[in-house]
Amino acid sequence: MSAASSLLTEDQFLCSICLDVFTDPVSTPCGHNFCKACISEHWDRNVPSQCPNCKEVFNIKPELQVNTFISEMAAQFRQSAQQKASSSSSEQQVFKPGEVPCDVCTGTRLKALKSCLVCLESYCETHLEPHLTRPGLKKHQLIDPLENLEARMCVKHDKLLELFCKTDQVCVCMLCTVSDHKTHDVVPLKEGYKGKKAELGKTDAEIQQMIQKRRLKIQEMNRSVHVSKEGADREIADGVQVFTALKKSVERSQAGLINTIKEKQRKTEEQAKGFIKELEQEISELKKRSSEVEQLSRSEDQLHLLQSFKSLNAAPPTKNWTEVRVHPSYEGTVRRAVTQLEETLRKQMKKLLEVELKRVQQYDVEVTLDPDTAHPNLILSDHRKQVKHGDVKKNRPDNPERFDYSHRVLAKQSFSSGRFYYEVQVKGKTQWDLGVARESINRKGNIVQSPQNGYWVIVLRNENDYQARTGPPVGLSLKSQPKKVGVFVDYEEGLVSFYDVDAPALIYSFTGCCFKEKLYPYFSPYSNDGGKNSAPLIISPVNHTK
């Protein structure tokens, strides 16, 4: 029996009425156990008889007999508890700062084990014993040791705060219920405790849910940082690769330029040396002839002079050097080298744009046209992927979302975070508008397209006049006419970029934008222009296989 009782806890031998170890335990018909005196007194005060635990009602008060088995178990447990108390009495601790001291100890004060809500005192193990053994004290409510038990007394009536006023949300005594809280909703402290405990449980559950959401948000941010780092590392690697290639190309071009110029200079010097050598030979011959002329001119022999003059005239004529020049031949060499660099850079830019376009295409989204926003002249396809201008104005309800002046339409989908991308075929058109617009744009009357008015748009006018509507419009110089335009938006970055998908090339980017509202993809096929601009704008699926 002692071995079995050692496996049982104190809670299993406590009466739920007096909260103490059973004295003369009895069992109710519903199977719950109480001290005989406790349940008898409870039934004397409450009619009809009811089980305090499960609230089962007994119309006839049951005859109660002492449960000898539980009585013996409770006695053995009490004896075991007393033995443990006596064996550990020598091990009681002197209270330390931050602990509750025994209020009865004199001299060295020991650490309190329990506080009594009736006596309003705290007791060490030794001084607690009367509350465990004396019948009158055993009914007192013991709790874990607390300081300042006087705070549990009503300051107005000096009575124990044993009730809770739900109206004023304060603890009160019995006398408070007949004075200040007479008409209030007052419940026992235990009931108020249970209610607040339930509220705390609900609050804690909400807090735990909030904590979980924030933990998930942290995980999301960590994942974003990880993805961002991977992207940054990839961009750095691509950048290093490109700039390394450019650096090598520049170095090769520089070396080639220097060698070319040096080689041309060498040839120029050799040409000049040849000319100089030839000139020096002619000078030598001319000097020789000058000497002969001088000797002949000093001759007094008339016959000799006349006979020699003929052979002197037969000397070879000298070369005409008037138009002979040494021309440096390296002019334009630097320009041609830079042109080659430009071509290399253009090829590298094309490769980078191909990579960039593939990356933004990963953010492609489903986009369909919203007929409730379409101008009455616009014709939408059944699958809401195409829009063109019709010459006949259709009778459509003038709802607040509809454009009533300009030939415009918005997408059904909106975006308020993250990144998104879509492509639109503009082949065969001479005029069109594409971009995004914020939700609050004015849709009535003639509206100037600009970021200030909520539009981030590029347009085509007169077949080859491309513009970015930046306030005053900015003209765009494109090497080729786009047949398909990709639109990419990074909401948090404040970026709207337009791509020529087939080139591939970047047409224009709005940067440093501040988005605070939903953004809608925006389209305008513009007017029909007598059939010249009859081709539709077509929202096209993104091809990821290129």
Side-chain angles (χ1 to χ4, degrees):
M1 180 69 73
S2 61
S5 63
S6 64
L7 299 176
L8 300 175
T9 63
E10 180 181 1
D11 293 341
Q12 294 171 291
F13 294 100
L14 293 183
C15 171
S16 60
I17 297 177
C18 67
L19 301 178
D20 203 348
V21 179
F22 289 123
T23 302
D24 296 334
V26 295
S27 299
T28 61
C30 56
H32 295 106
N33 303 309
F34 306 93
C35 297
K36 185 175 182 180
C38 293
I39 190 64
S40 297
E41 183 181 349
H42 178 78
W43 282 347
D44 289 341
R45 287 187 281 112
N46 297 279
V47 178
S49 301
Q50 187 181 40
C51 175
N53 285 359
C54 67
K55 308 302 181 185
E56 183 174 346
V57 177
F58 307 109
N59 294 323
I60 300 175
K61 185 187 298 184
E63 291 292 334
L64 300 175
Q65 300 294 328
V66 174
N67 190 322
T68 56
F69 176 74
I70 297 177
S71 180
E72 290 175 2
M73 291 290 290
Q76 287 201 16
F77 181 82
R78 187 181 291 107
Q79 182 181 2
S80 174
Q82 290 174 351
Q83 288 175 353
K84 288 181 181 178
S86 61
S87 64
S88 61
S89 60
S90 59
E91 301 175 2
Q92 294 186 61
Q93 299 177 355
V94 176
F95 93 98
K96 300 174 184 177
E99 297 177 340
V100 179
C102 176
D103 292 322
V104 183
C105 287
T106 58
T108 302
R109 301 180 71 182
L110 301 179
K111 175 183 175 182
L113 295 183
K114 292 289 182 182
S115 295
C116 178
L117 293 180
V118 179
C119 301
L120 296 180
E121 287 188 330
S122 299
Y123 302 104
C124 65
E125 188 172 2
T126 301
H127 296 118
L128 181 63
E129 185 177 357
H131 278 76
L132 300 176
T133 57
R134 296 181 186 177
L137 296 176
K138 286 199 299 182
K139 295 183 180 181
H140 290 190
Q141 186 175 355
L142 298 176
I143 60 172
D144 290 334
L146 290 175
E147 288 186 309
N148 193 21
L149 289 171
E150 292 78 7
R152 295 179 173 273
M153 301 296 291
C154 177
V155 295
K156 186 173 183 179
H157 302 109
D158 198 27
K159 296 290 183 182
L160 184 66
L161 297 172
E162 53 184 337
L163 300 170
F164 179 70
C165 177
K166 296 173 71 174
T167 305
D168 291 338
Q169 296 290 300
V170 294
C171 296
V172 297
C173 70
M174 288 296 295
L175 293 179
C176 290
T177 61
V178 296
S179 57
D180 299 338
H181 302 266
K182 185 176 182 179
T183 59
H184 293 182
D185 185 8
V186 178
V187 296
L189 207 62
K190 186 176 182 180
E191 184 178 336
Y193 167 83
K194 288 182 179 179
K196 290 302 178 186
K197 191 98 171 182
E199 287 184 24
L200 288 174
K202 183 179 179 182
T203 301
D204 184 58
E206 293 174 352
I207 292 173
Q208 293 303 321
Q209 188 176 13
M210 293 170 68
I211 291 172
Q212 183 63 19
K213 286 182 179 179
R214 280 150 181 80
R215 283 176 176 166
L216 292 174
K217 195 65 178 179
I218 289 173
Q219 292 177 3
E220 177 187 332
M221 289 182 175
N222 284 332
R223 284 194 299 271
S224 298
V225 169
H226 179 70
V227 171
S228 177
K229 187 178 184 305
E230 287 183 341
D233 292 342
R234 189 168 54 245
E235 288 290 327
I236 290 172
D238 291 346
V240 169
Q241 182 179 359
V242 168
F243 279 95
T244 300
L246 287 175
K247 183 180 177 181
K248 289 181 178 179
S249 180
V250 169
E251 290 173 348
R252 285 195 302 269
S253 297
Q254 180 181 352
L257 173 68
I258 293 171
N259 291 334
T260 299
I261 293 175
K262 285 183 176 180
E263 178 63 20
K264 290 186 176 183
Q265 177 63 20
R266 185 187 63 77
K267 290 180 179 180
T268 300
E269 290 176 358
E270 287 182 354
Q271 184 186 41
K273 285 180 181 179
F275 289 154
I276 291 170
K277 185 177 180 181
E278 189 176 349
L279 285 168
E280 287 176 343
Q281 288 176 349
E282 290 190 0
I283 289 171
S284 177
E285 291 178 359
L286 287 172
K287 282 182 177 180
K288 182 178 178 181
R289 185 175 179 81
S290 175
S291 176
E292 292 174 353
V293 170
E294 184 179 354
Q295 286 180 356
L296 188 61
S297 65
R298 287 198 300 265
S299 173
E300 296 294 336
D301 187 344
Q302 296 177 354
L303 179 64
H304 174 71
L305 187 147
L306 292 172
Q307 289 177 339
S308 299
F309 188 83
K310 183 178 180 181
S311 62
L312 189 66
N313 276 341
T318 59
K319 181 178 180 179
N320 184 6
W321 291 91
T322 306
E323 300 300 328
V324 177
R325 297 283 188 276
V326 176
H327 296 286
S329 59
Y330 46 76
E331 288 84 354
T333 306
V334 175
R335 175 182 53 76
R336 287 190 292 272
V338 172
T339 301
Q340 289 178 351
L341 279 178
E342 287 180 345
E343 179 63 20
T344 301
L345 182 60
R346 187 189 66 78
K347 291 179 180 179
Q348 290 292 339
M349 284 295 295
K350 184 176 181 181
K351 290 181 181 179
L352 286 176
L353 280 167
E354 287 174 352
V355 173
E356 180 179 331
L357 186 58
K358 284 182 180 179
R359 287 179 184 167
V360 300
Q361 284 177 332
Q362 296 175 4
Y363 300 97
D364 67 302
V365 294
E366 178 69 17
V367 174
T368 55
L369 302 170
D370 184 1
D372 291 336
T373 66
H375 184 275
N377 273 105
L378 297 183
I379 301 173
L380 275 59
S381 63
D382 293 339
H383 57 295
R384 305 288 188 257
K385 291 287 186 178
Q386 299 185 20
V387 57
K388 64 180 180 179
H389 181 269
D391 291 325
V392 179
K393 190 173 184 179
K394 294 188 176 182
N395 185 18
R396 291 175 176 167
D398 187 20
N399 49 293
E401 297 84 9
R402 190 179 306 284
F403 292 99
D404 67 350
Y405 183 86
S406 301
H407 304 133
R408 304 171 181 176
V409 61
L410 298 180
K412 192 74 173 177
Q413 295 76 15
S414 64
F415 305 89
S416 56
S417 64
R419 301 169 179 174
F420 62 95
Y421 173 87
Y422 59 96
E423 293 180 353
V424 183
Q425 180 178 307
V426 296
K427 180 180 178 181
K429 295 194 66 60
T430 59
Q431 301 188 90
W432 50 256
D433 302 357
L434 286 177
V436 292
R438 68 184 178 215
E439 185 176 31
S440 63
I441 55 171
N442 185 3
R443 309 182 191 197
K444 307 301 180 183
N446 186 21
I447 311 300
V448 176
Q449 297 167 326
S450 70
Q452 292 76 15
N453 291 334
Y455 293 86
W456 292 267
V457 174
I458 63 170
V459 304
L460 169 63
R461 296 289 183 268
N462 302 323
E463 199 168 344
N464 56 12
D465 180 14
Y466 293 92
Q467 300 176 7
R469 293 299 173 90
T470 57
V474 173
L476 304 176
S477 177
L478 306 184
K479 292 185 177 180
S480 61
Q481 288 190 326
K483 296 179 180 178
K484 186 181 291 185
V485 176
V487 184
F488 172 69
V489 178
D490 188 328
Y491 194 97
E492 283 74 22
E493 188 69 20
L495 173 69
V496 182
S497 294
F498 300 85
Y499 295 89
D500 181 341
V501 177
D502 298 318
L506 177 66
I507 298 174
Y508 187 79
S509 286
F510 291 90
T511 59
C513 310
C514 183
F515 302 131
K516 297 181 180 179
E517 301 179 23
K518 293 179 180 179
L519 295 180
Y520 288 83
Y522 163 89
F523 311 83
S524 174
Y526 217 69
S527 62
N528 201 12
D529 194 17
K532 294 180 181 179
N533 192 37
S534 60
L537 290 175
I538 303 174
I539 302 171
S540 306
V542 176
N543 184 3
H544 294 280
T545 60
K546 290 182 180 180

